[in-house]
Every structure is written in C-alpha cells, then in structure tokens.
C-alpha cells in the first residue's frame, strides 16, 4: 500500500537510511537509483544555492522519466490502468513532484524586493518532468490541480517564451482534471499576459481557454435533460464560472480581433499526393498542437545549429529530425491552431454576450476571411470524397483535417442561428439576388437584409453559404459531414420566415423530393422543425385560397398536399408526443413538443382542437393503452409552463419559428391544461377516470 509523505519529509526519511541499505533496497525494488538522485537534488536545492548542481541531477532524472513518457505517447498508447510506469511512480512516491513544485515557486516565496530569476532551462526541465509524471502516474495531475496557488503561478510562467510550451502543456493537463473551474480574473495581469503573446502562443492559449469557458460536462445523459438544467439554474441564479470567464476574455483589448486574424490567416499549400496519408500517419500520435510546436521548435533549433556548423544544404536536409518531419507539418500545424480558435469563438457566440461577439466578428470580417480560405484550406476539392471518417458522431477522435471541418460547420451554425448577421454569409451579388426574388414575388425585403452592411459581406464569385451548398451536394450519403452541413444550412433558415431565403436555397438544388418524405419520417426528432415549417406554410396558403397562384401551389406541391391530409397531420402529432417525456427532454428534442403545440394551436384557431384531442384518445384505445398518450402530453405541457414562463427564458425563438405570438402559445397551453372536465379543449376531459394519472409530484424539485 502506498503511503505518501510530503516531499521534504520523505526525502529526509530516505536520507536517514544507511547508504548500503538504501542501495540494496533500490536494487530489489528496481528503483533505478531514483531515491538517491532525489536526495542529492533535495540537498543541492536549498534556498541559498545557485541550483546549478541541482540542475545536473534533475537532467539525469529527466532522461529516465522521459523514456517512459515517450513510450506512453508514441508506442502502445496504453492507459495508466493497463500498464505501470515504475520510474515516474517512484519519483512521485519519494516526493519528487512536491520538491519540483517547491523549487519552481521559490522565487514567489522570497521576501526580497528583487525576485531571484531562475535559469530558463531549469524551469523547462522541472515542467517537463512534472508533465511526464502527470501522463504516466495516476493521481499526480489531480494533486497538482488541487493546489490553486501553483495553478495560478503556472500562468505567470507563460510570459517567458522559452518556457511557454512546457507551461501550456502542463496547464492544459491540470485544468482538464480540476474539480473547480479556474477563474480567469484571478490570473495576475491576465490582459497583459494575453497581449504579450505572439499569434502562435495565442492559438495554443485558446486550447487552455476552451476548458475555462465551456460549461463542464456533468457526466451522464440524465443531467443533460431540460428538467435537470432548470433545477440547476434555480440553484445557481448567478452567472456560472464559465460565463464570468467569457466576460473576462471579451474585456481584454484586441482579443477577439486577434482570434479573427488567426482564424482567417492563409497558409502555404502543401504539395504532393501523399498529403492525406501523412495526415493519417501523424494524427495517430500528434494529437496536440503543443506537441507539434515542440517538434517545430526542435527542427528550427536544429536547422540553426546545422547552418552555423556547415553551409552544406544537403546535410541539413538529411538531418534525423528533418527526415522524420513530413513537408505537410506546417499546414497540419495551422489547421490544429484554427480548430482551437474556432472552438473558442463558437462558445462565445453561444454565450450570454452573443450580440457583442456578433458585432465584433462582423467588424473584424471573420466570415469573408473564412470564405477566402474555403477552397484552399477548409474544404479542398481533393478531400471531399476520399477522406476516411473514423466515426459518425461529434465526439469522434478524428484527424485534424476532419476536426477542422466539423468545428468550422459548428461555427457557421452558431453564427447564423436566429441572427440578422446571417446575411454576411452571402456576397453582394447574392444579396441582390435575394432582393430580386422578393421584388418578383411582390413581397417586402426582410429588415435584416436591408440593414446588412455590404462592406462586411463575403467577396469573390461565391459567398460562404453557396460554397457550403456546393460541397454538401457532393458529399457521400454516409459521410458524417452531412449532419453538420445540414445543421449549418438549417440555421440560416431559422428565425422569421423568409420566402426569398427559401427560394435562394431551392434554386441551388438543395432538395431531391423523391427521397425527402422518407427522410422526414425516418428521423422525426431531426426533421420535426421541417414538419413545423410545412404545417405553418400550409396554414398560410389555405388562408389565401382566393389567389389562383396559391391554389396552383397547393395542388402541385407534394409536401403541402401530403400535409393537407388530416390523417397525416394526426400521424405526426401522435409520434411527436410519443417519442418524448419529461424525463427525456433535452435541448435537442424539446422542439418535438413545440411542433406538436404548433399543430394544436393552428387547430384551435379553426375551432378543431376537440377533434384532435378526441383523435388522440381514440389512438390510445386502438393501441390498448388508454390514458398513456394524453397523461404524457399533460405532464409535458406542465413542464413547458415551468420552462418557458421562466423570467430568464427568451420566448422570441418560439415566435420567430412560428410567426405565432407568444401570448397565444401561453393561452393555448393554459386551455389544454384546464381542470374543468366539461371543457372540450382540456386534455383532462379526454382521459377516463380510471386511467387518470396526472402525476402531481413529477415536476417537483
């Protein structure tokens, strides 16, 4: 059983053992001389020493520990549970981790006015050894994460470019396991620190920031339900730590502008047909932009050293490290940077400061910049169909190229979702096309289109949305990209209904009607928003049947004709209510509840609500589950009231997605939940007494 003393304590205890006894025990336990080396490191690192002797002992220890770390990273990639790492274990057991923390933090503990400066190489070696211990020995990372003073101290080391990479790598590991999210405002002179970073450092810093601005994953699917989220919001009325950190970042002068420049800067194109194979080979172990930086730094240093020793270019080209680094390293490097930057921008776009972020992203021309990169970097033509996708979900451990595409698509979705800036995804000619569509249909242009600042839109022959549609149509049916592409395009259509937007997409061949109905019915959770649109469109057209053109459209459009049959609308209603319940509601499927409400609100307008409720009752009896469907719907609507009538909830999204005032939503729900069993519009009237099971405790906290 392992018993851990403090670093100084266990080293002192080891020092009391007779030398022969310690050496004998060392041989039997296969400690490889680590306790003895640690004792020498401890004795040579007292506060008044110059630490040069200590550094020599640390170098010996570092070489032993780095061998294990390299084995872990590059060869078997075994988890800590599957393999043992005796050297790092022994190092930590005898207090080596605590000792290195004490050595690193010593300058901050002195009472002298002029703080002593430690040798950069010593700091780098201390950090490298700590990192090796973190990745090889279970528990080390958590013990370091528990020391808030040490975590904040590490950020101060990032001001030194020579130790930046080692510091950033260690911080990233520590923050990944830290129980309490760090508060960025607690970092000494954060604004000055960030402003001191060059673009390369800032990109790597984004990888660290991603942990501090994202709401923590609470561990299991149940916690992601809206019921749990509402309860959590009640307990935490004040902004979360992630939200506070987002505000802290936005207050740093020039931060967003620099991220936009990073996201949109161009890189030299890689040449050669082996580019994809090189990516495939390298991503299997270079899963961290920081590791890439370290290799690039080594290559650069080696090149400088070789150039001073010899001017023979052939010797430089055949140097061992250069030989191992493929030509495509720089482009992989840039792609991995952009993944981190786009992630941070995406999180900020979805936060409480969304409008402020939107304004800044427009001002700094993020979208036109990404448009200029689309064909050459983001979606190269020769990667469209012959890449290998390793998984079919967003958590797939994919290559940098694939991660970049998915993060780009997620950013587009967040950017255009219910925001007037979505028209920045088009170029000037395409905006003119939208205006022409509206003019031809004799309908006014939407206000957001009129207000779009044309100096901030895409340039070139195609806008970003059109480019996306082009690659989407070429994408194989089984490609995982299709899901993210569809979400990005769908988000452009969200908000107040725009005939011009819809026609713009249809003219570009977005839909193939022969397979469309099958797709709608095969996945109702994904397609229910479209079902809602069709139902709303049908309702609008049916109110204008005096217009010959409208009658023509109703007769010719297969989607509208399909939805016009009441049995099909009822079929959708049954399934929408049946596939969800209060315990399984999430942000992804709550739209099913809202779509079912839209169907019933339109029925109520035409005084047909009793017909629909009776149809639900008959369906229950036909399925031999009386009360099941209606009891479930009743509970869902009670949850709806709790969820959407919360003062913090923004109801405009419901109005925008339906063109139905929120007051009518509230009124309809209230009518459906009425307790008067004589009311023909109350759900309770359609549940026979023996099957009445309106669970009053279901929604209690």
């Amino acid at each position: 059983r392992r018993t851990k003393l403090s670093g100084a304590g266990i080293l002192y205890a080891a020092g009391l053992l007779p030398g022969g006894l310690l050496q004998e025990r060392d041989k039997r336990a296969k400690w490889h001389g680590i306790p003895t080396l640690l004792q020498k490191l401890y004795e040579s690192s007292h506060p008044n020493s110059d630490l040069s002797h200590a550094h020599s002992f640390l170098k010996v220890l570092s070489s032993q520990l780095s061998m294990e770390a390299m084995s872990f990273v590059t060869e078997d990639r075994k988890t800590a549970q599957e393999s043992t790492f005796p050297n790092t274990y022994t190092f930590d057991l005898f207090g080596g981790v605590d000792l290195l923390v004490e050595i690193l933090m010593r300058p901050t503990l002195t009472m002298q006015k002029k703080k002593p400066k430690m040798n950069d190489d010593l700091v780098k070696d201390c950090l490298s050894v700590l990192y090796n211990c973190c990745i090889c020995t279970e528990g080390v990372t958590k013990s370091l994460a528990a020391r808030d003073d040490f975590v904040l101290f590490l950020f101060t080391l990032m001001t030194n470019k020579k130790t930046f990479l080692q510091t950033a790598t260690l911080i990233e590991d520590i923050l990944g396991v830290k129980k309490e999210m760090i508060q960025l405002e607690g970092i000494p002179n954060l604004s000055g620190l960030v402003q001191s970073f060059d673009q390369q450092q800032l990109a790597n810093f984004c990888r660290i920031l991603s942990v501090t601005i994202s709401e923590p994953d609470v561990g299991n699917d149940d916690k992601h339900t809206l019921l749990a989220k509402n309860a959590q919001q009640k307990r935490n009325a004040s902004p979360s730590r992630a939200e506070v950190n987002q505000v802290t970042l936005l207050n740093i002068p020039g931060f967003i502008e620099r991220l936009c420049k990073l996201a949109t800067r161009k890189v030299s194109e890689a040449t050669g047909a082996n580019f994809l194979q090189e990516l495939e080979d390298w991503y299997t172990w270079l899963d961290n932009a920081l590791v890439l930086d370290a290799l690039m730094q080594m290559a650069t240093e080696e090149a400088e050293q070789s150039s001073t020793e010899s001017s023979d270019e052939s010797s430089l080209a055949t140097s061992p490290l250069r030989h191992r680094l493929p030509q495509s390293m720089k482009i992989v490097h840039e792609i991995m940077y952009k993944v981190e930057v786009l992630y941070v921008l995406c999180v900020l776009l979805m936060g409480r400061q969304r409008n402020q972020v939107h304004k800044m992203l427009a001002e700094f021309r993020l979208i036109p910049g990404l448009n200029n990169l689309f064909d050459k970097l983001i979606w190269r033509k020769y990667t469209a169909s012959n890449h290998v996708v390793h998984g079919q979900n967003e958590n797939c451990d994919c290559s940098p190229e694939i991660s970049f595409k998915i993060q780009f698509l997620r950013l587009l979705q967040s950017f255009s979702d219910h925001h007037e800036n979505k028209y920045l995804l088009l170029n000037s000619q395409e905006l003119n096309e939208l205006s022409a569509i509206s003019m031809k249909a004799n309908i006014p242009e939407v206000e957001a289109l009129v207000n779009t600042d044309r100096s901030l839109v895409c340039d070139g022959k195609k806008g970003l949305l059109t480019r996306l549609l082009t690659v989407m149509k070429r994408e194989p049916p089984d490609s995982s990209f299709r899901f993210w592409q569809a979400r990005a395009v769908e988000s452009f259509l969200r908000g107040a209904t725009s005939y011009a937007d819809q026609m713009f997409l249809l003219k570009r061949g977005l839909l193939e009607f022969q397979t469309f109905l099958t797709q709608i019915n095969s996945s109702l959770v994904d397609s229910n928003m479209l079902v809602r649109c069709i139902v709303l469109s049908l309702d609008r057209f049916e109110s204008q049947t005096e217009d010959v053109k409208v009658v023509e459209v109703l007769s010719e459009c297969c989607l509208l004709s399909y939805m016009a049959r009441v049995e099909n609308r009822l079929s959708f209603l049954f399934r929408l209510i049946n596939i969800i319940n209060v315990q399984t509601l999430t942000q992804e499927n709550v739209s099913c509840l809202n779509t079912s409400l839209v169907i019933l609100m339109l029925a109520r307008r035409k005084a047909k609500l009793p017909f629909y409720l009776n149809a639900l009752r008959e369906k229950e009896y036909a399925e031999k589950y009386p009360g099941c469907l209606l009891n479930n719907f009743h509970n869902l609507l009670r949850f709806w009231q709790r969820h959407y009538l919360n003062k913090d909830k923004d109801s405009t999204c419901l109005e925008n997605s339906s063109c139905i005032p929120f007051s009518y939503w509230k009124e309809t729900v209230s009518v459906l939940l009425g307790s008067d069993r004589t009311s023909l519009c109350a759900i309770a009237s359609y549940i026979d007494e023996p099957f009445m099971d309106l669970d009053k405790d279901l929604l209690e906290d």
Side-chain angles (χ1 to χ4, degrees):
R1 183 178 167 217
R2 178 178 181 179
T3 304
K4 182 121 182 290
L5 302 176
S6 69
I10 202 162
L11 288 167
Y12 174 74
L16 294 177
L17 293 174
L21 181 59
L22 183 59
Q23 288 175 7
E24 179 60 31
R25 186 72 185 92
D26 190 304
K27 283 183 182 178
R28 281 194 292 156
K30 296 182 179 179
W31 286 339
H32 304 293
I34 288 176
T36 303
L37 281 168
L38 273 173
Q39 181 66 26
K40 291 177 179 177
L41 176 62
Y42 175 64
E43 291 170 350
S44 60
S45 62
H46 57 80
N48 296 321
S49 66
D50 65 0
L51 296 177
S52 57
H53 290 298
H55 194 187
S56 63
F57 295 126
L58 181 61
K59 283 180 178 177
V60 178
L61 285 164
S62 179
S63 64
Q64 287 181 281
L65 303 183
S66 61
M67 297 270 294
E68 287 177 0
M70 188 60 71
S71 168
F72 178 81
V73 173
T74 63
E75 293 176 8
D76 298 326
R77 297 185 69 84
K78 293 178 181 177
T79 63
Q81 289 74 25
E82 293 174 338
S83 55
T84 56
F85 299 93
N87 284 347
T88 47
Y89 177 88
T90 306
F91 181 84
D92 183 41
L93 177 66
F94 279 87
V97 170
D98 292 334
L99 177 59
L100 292 191
V101 170
E102 191 272 327
I103 291 173
L104 281 171
M105 294 190 69
R106 186 173 295 165
T108 68
L109 303 176
T110 181
M111 301 300 292
Q112 301 174 20
K113 286 186 178 180
K114 187 178 180 181
K115 304 290 183 186
K117 188 177 185 303
M118 287 181 64
N119 178 278
D120 289 339
D121 290 330
L122 174 60
V123 174
K124 284 169 70 172
D125 286 338
C126 285
L127 293 169
S128 296
V129 170
L130 287 176
Y131 179 67
N132 289 340
C133 290
C134 284
I135 63 175
C136 296
T137 300
E138 191 176 6
V140 172
T141 317
K142 287 183 179 178
S143 68
L144 291 176
R147 295 194 54 173
D148 289 339
D149 60 338
F150 180 63
V151 176
L152 291 176
F153 164 75
L154 283 177
F155 280 94
T156 66
L157 294 183
M158 298 181 83
T159 57
N160 188 340
K161 291 190 177 182
K162 292 182 179 177
T163 59
F164 176 89
L165 286 175
Q166 289 77 10
T167 309
T169 308
L170 184 57
I171 290 176
E172 184 189 339
D173 257 38
I174 289 174
L175 294 187
V177 301
K178 192 168 174 58
K179 286 185 178 179
E180 290 250 330
M181 184 179 289
I182 190 172
Q183 291 283 200
L184 292 178
E185 60 188 3
I187 298 172
N189 191 23
L190 175 65
S191 181
L193 176 68
V194 172
Q195 289 174 314
S196 73
F197 291 154
D198 59 27
Q199 289 295 76
Q200 177 173 306
Q201 290 173 318
L202 182 61
N204 278 322
F205 191 58
C206 283
R207 192 175 179 100
I208 294 169
L209 291 178
S210 64
V211 183
T212 69
I213 60 174
S214 307
E215 296 296 345
D217 186 358
V218 283
N220 58 62
D221 290 339
D222 290 343
K223 299 297 183 185
H224 292 294
T225 64
L226 292 178
L227 197 63
K229 285 182 178 178
N230 283 358
Q232 183 73 18
Q233 283 178 348
K234 275 189 176 180
R235 289 192 293 270
N236 304 322
S238 57
S240 67
R241 287 197 164 198
E243 289 170 334
V244 172
N245 284 341
Q246 290 174 22
V247 174
T248 301
L249 288 179
L250 290 174
N251 288 335
I252 297 176
F255 177 70
I256 295 296
E257 182 177 10
R258 291 185 67 192
L259 289 195
C260 289
K261 286 180 179 177
L262 263 173
T264 59
R265 73 178 180 185
K266 296 180 180 179
V267 291
S268 58
E269 282 291 316
T271 55
N274 295 326
F275 174 74
L276 289 173
Q277 185 57 50
E278 288 171 349
L279 273 184
E280 189 75 14
D281 293 341
W282 280 87
Y283 99 89
T284 56
W285 71 277
L286 291 180
D287 57 354
N288 188 325
L290 297 168
V291 180
L292 277 165
D293 270 338
L295 284 169
M296 294 292 286
Q297 188 178 58
M298 289 165 63
T300 303
E301 289 171 357
E302 186 177 274
E304 289 172 353
Q305 184 179 357
S306 299
S307 63
T308 56
E309 292 172 356
S310 169
S311 59
D312 184 357
E313 291 187 4
S314 62
S315 66
L316 176 61
T318 56
S319 63
L321 186 61
R322 285 280 177 176
H323 182 69
R324 294 198 301 273
L325 289 174
Q327 284 295 107
S328 56
M329 181 63 72
K330 284 185 179 180
I331 201 164
V332 183
H333 204 214
E334 187 67 19
I335 284 173
M336 294 183 83
Y337 278 163
K338 284 176 167 29
V339 170
E340 306 303 335
V341 172
L342 292 183
Y343 179 83
V344 170
L345 291 175
C346 196
V347 172
L348 293 174
L349 263 177
M350 295 187 291
R352 289 194 182 188
Q353 315 302 316
R354 186 184 187 213
N355 286 334
Q356 179 189 354
V357 176
H358 246 294
K359 185 178 179 181
M360 297 166 89
L361 297 188
E363 179 186 349
F364 302 131
R365 297 181 56 81
L366 174 69
I367 297 302
L370 291 175
N371 187 46
N372 292 335
L373 287 180
F374 190 87
D375 289 334
K376 292 183 178 178
L377 182 67
I378 301 173
W379 226 283
R380 295 184 200 82
K381 291 179 182 177
Y382 62 87
T383 65
S385 59
N386 60 353
H387 64 260
V388 178
V389 177
H390 296 273
Q392 300 296 322
N393 60 70
E394 64 178 292
N395 297 316
C396 169
D397 181 18
C398 298
S399 71
E401 183 95 341
I402 293 171
S403 298
F404 183 37
K405 284 185 169 75
I406 291 175
Q407 197 55 59
F408 163 76
L409 293 170
R410 293 180 75 176
L411 178 81
L412 286 195
Q413 179 199 353
S414 302
F415 186 86
S416 56
D417 188 14
H418 286 103
H419 202 281
E420 60 183 20
N421 275 356
K422 69 180 185 179
Y423 291 110
L424 299 182
L425 296 175
L426 280 56
N427 64 18
S428 293
Q429 292 83 358
E430 290 163 347
L431 291 177
N432 291 338
E433 183 182 339
L434 283 178
S435 300
I437 292 171
S438 297
M439 187 179 297
K440 185 177 180 181
N442 198 27
I443 55 177
E445 293 181 74
V446 295
E447 189 177 349
L449 176 60
V450 175
N451 294 337
T452 297
D453 184 345
R454 300 212 169 200
S455 68
L456 301 177
V457 301
C458 295
D459 43 27
K461 293 182 179 178
K462 293 179 181 178
L464 198 48
L465 180 63
T466 301
R467 292 184 194 278
L468 175 59
L469 288 169
T470 302
V471 297
M472 183 179 178
K473 288 192 291 182
R474 287 205 308 256
E475 205 66 43
D478 59 345
S479 168
S480 62
F481 292 137
R482 288 186 68 87
F483 169 77
W484 297 105
Q485 290 166 339
R487 287 188 71 163
V489 173
E490 187 255 349
S491 69
F492 179 81
L493 288 172
R494 284 186 179 179
T497 303
S498 169
Y499 170 79
D501 291 357
Q502 294 171 350
M503 290 306 299
F504 179 84
L505 295 178
L506 288 172
K507 285 172 68 176
R508 281 155 178 78
L510 180 62
L511 299 180
E512 294 179 3
F513 279 100
Q514 54 267 41
T515 58
F516 204 48
L517 286 174
T518 304
Q519 287 292 103
I520 291 174
N521 282 289
S522 65
S523 183
L524 198 51
V525 172
D526 293 331
S527 63
N528 84 86
M529 290 291 286
L530 176 62
V531 170
R532 187 188 307 180
C533 290
I534 299 169
V535 169
L536 287 164
S537 298
L538 177 66
D539 181 74
R540 183 172 180 178
F541 283 131
E542 285 180 337
S543 67
Q544 300 172 358
T545 49
E546 69 281 357
D547 189 325
V548 177
K549 286 187 177 179
V550 170
V551 174
E552 207 174 284
V553 169
L554 280 172
S555 62
E556 292 180 358
C557 178
C558 59
L559 276 179
L560 292 175
S561 299
Y562 182 84
M563 200 61 74
R565 294 195 285 274
V566 69
E567 64 271 19
N568 290 333
R569 287 204 298 279
L570 284 170
S571 174
F572 278 121
L573 182 62
F574 299 148
R575 291 165 59 205
L576 286 167
I577 295 173
N578 208 33
I579 58 179
I580 51 174
N581 58 56
V582 172
Q583 288 86 354
T584 61
L585 274 182
T586 66
Q587 201 64 49
E588 295 296 321
N589 63 25
V590 72
S591 55
C592 293
L593 173 57
N594 290 324
T595 298
S596 66
L597 263 176
V598 166
I599 294 173
L600 292 176
M601 283 190 292
L602 297 180
R604 181 176 170 234
R605 279 182 177 175
K606 298 177 180 178
K608 292 183 178 179
L609 188 54
F611 170 81
Y612 278 77
L613 292 176
N614 191 58
L616 289 175
R617 182 179 184 277
E618 290 179 357
K619 179 70 173 176
E620 288 181 333
Y621 274 90
E623 299 287 340
K624 296 185 169 46
Y625 289 109
C628 180
L629 205 63
L630 288 169
N631 278 311
N632 181 49
F633 191 41
H634 194 280
N635 286 328
L636 285 166
L637 293 181
R638 288 171 62 209
F639 170 82
W640 187 96
Q641 284 185 323
R642 286 271 193 99
H643 185 68
Y644 284 104
L645 302 188
N646 185 317
K647 63 181 180 182
D648 293 330
K649 284 293 169 191
D650 182 7
S651 60
T652 56
C653 61
L654 292 180
E655 291 188 338
N656 288 338
S657 64
S658 65
C659 294
I660 298 174
F662 187 63
S663 58
Y664 196 75
W665 285 78
K666 291 191 294 183
E667 189 181 301
T668 302
V669 171
S670 181
V671 166
L672 287 166
L673 291 178
S675 56
D676 181 4
R677 288 177 58 81
T678 64
S679 169
L680 294 179
C681 293
I683 292 173
S685 304
Y686 297 85
I687 307 175
D688 291 337
E689 195 70 46
F691 309 113
M692 185 77 71
D693 185 28
L694 305 182
D695 189 355
K696 292 180 180 176
D697 298 322
L698 183 65
L699 301 177
E700 298 301 320
D701 293 336

